Amino acid sequence: LAKTTQPISMDSYEGQEVNITCSHNNIATNDYITWYQQFPSQGPRFIIQGYKTKVTNEVASLFIPADRKSSTLSLPRVSLSDTAVYYCLVGDRSAGTSGTYKYIFGTGTRLKVLA
Amino acid sequence: NAGVTQTPKFQVLKTGQSMTLQCAQDMNHNSMYWYRQDPGMGLRLIYYSASEGTTDKGEVPNGYNVSRLNKREFSLRLESAAPSQTSVYFCASSEWLAETQYFGPGTRLLVL
């Protein structure tokens, strides 16, 4: 089970790029890296997922180095509405409907965007 | 398409009372999950169901039972509520186990 380590909190200003790094030293070969965002009083929401190198969607980019022992979520030009908790998860996506569910949410990174 | 729905939204129980939290999804997902989230903490997995007819324990299953009633519905039961079970409970579903999860709005439970 790949344990993840993230900073507890970060502050940023509107318009800046924010990078949140997640450490997962014992990531396994079949493991994917997934990031979720959670606003207060809401359930988490999927942001992005990747296996290696770089993944980009309309919301964020995910950078994964060759050794895959860490990953960085990049949020371009944040706004006040990006204030949320961000969770990094690592787990095997190939379980289908069998096997053991191995994702652990952890405590996440609390991002505060300031005006 | 409602996604994942949970009932009730809020509940107050006395110690020792029982209740069932209901969860339903309309995305034809195979896998469903129950989490709890204590104030300022991350989510902890209580139980999950990889597919209809199967359930498995997560990190914190003690004091809870679950039923995968059919493909759409996954309920969580507290047989004898304790103050330590005061929390926000989230249900989630995904197409397959460990795929992208879609979360419900949560149920806030207060046990006095």
Side-chain angles (χ1 to χ4, degrees):
Chain A
L1 178 61
K3 178 178 163 55
T4 61
T5 303
Q6 304 175 232
I8 293 174
S9 64
M10 296 178 68
D11 289 345
S12 182
Y13 289 95
E14 279 191 292
Q16 291 188 331
E17 179 185 73
V18 170
N19 295 309
I20 305 174
T21 297
C22 179
S23 173
H24 28 81
N25 289 319
N26 58 340
I27 189 169
T29 303
N30 288 337
D31 285 347
Y32 278 72
I33 301 153
T34 309
W35 286 80
Y36 286 83
Q37 174 191 55
Q38 185 180 26
F39 296 115
S41 302
Q42 294 185 26
R45 183 180 71 166
F46 171 84
I47 301 176
I48 198 166
Q49 184 177 70
Y51 183 79
K52 62 180 180 181
T53 61
K54 177 184 175 182
V55 179
T56 297
N57 61 23
E58 64 278 5
V59 176
S61 294
L62 178 60
F63 297 92
I64 305 168
D67 66 6
R68 304 202 323 124
K69 293 184 182 301
S70 66
S71 59
T72 299
L73 173 72
S74 181
L75 305 172
R77 296 180 299 282
V78 295
S79 63
L80 295 175
S81 62
D82 292 316
T83 294
V85 179
Y86 293 82
Y87 297 96
C88 163
L89 282 72
V90 174
D92 187 351
R93 241 185 59 177
S94 65
T97 58
S98 63
T100 304
Y101 175 69
K102 297 178 181 177
Y103 280 100
I104 300 292
F105 267 83
T107 52
T109 297
R110 197 169 296 271
L111 172 66
K112 186 174 182 180
V113 180
L114 306 168
Chain B
N1 234 3
V4 179
T5 57
Q6 293 183 236
T7 55
K9 286 187 170 56
F10 180 73
Q11 183 73 42
V12 179
L13 290 179
K14 294 182 180 178
T15 297
Q17 286 185 319
S18 62
M19 79 162 294
T20 300
L21 281 65
Q22 307 286 355
C23 174
Q25 51 91 9
D26 62 3
M27 296 174 282
N28 200 35
H29 285 168
N30 292 286
S31 303
M32 298 185 74
Y33 315 79
W34 275 106
Y35 293 89
R36 62 176 286 176
Q37 185 172 37
D38 299 331
M41 303 293 288
L43 282 79
R44 291 186 291 170
L45 183 67
I46 304 171
Y47 272 93
Y48 66 97
S49 170
S51 62
E52 185 179 356
T54 70
T55 60
D56 283 286
K57 295 178 180 180
E59 300 171 76
V60 288
N62 291 344
Y64 305 94
N65 285 301
V66 290
S67 295
R68 184 75 183 267
L69 305 170
N70 47 55
K71 192 172 185 180
R72 287 189 65 247
E73 298 172 288
F74 188 37
S75 63
L76 178 72
R77 182 160 179 83
L78 287 72
E79 291 292 350
S80 178
S84 61
Q85 294 179 304
T86 292
S87 190
V88 180
Y89 291 85
F90 289 103
C91 176
S93 71
S94 61
E95 186 172 3
W96 303 104
L97 193 64
E99 292 278 342
T100 301
Q101 293 179 54
Y102 296 84
F103 284 80
T107 293
R108 280 151 186 75
L109 177 65
L110 175 62
V111 182
L112 302 175

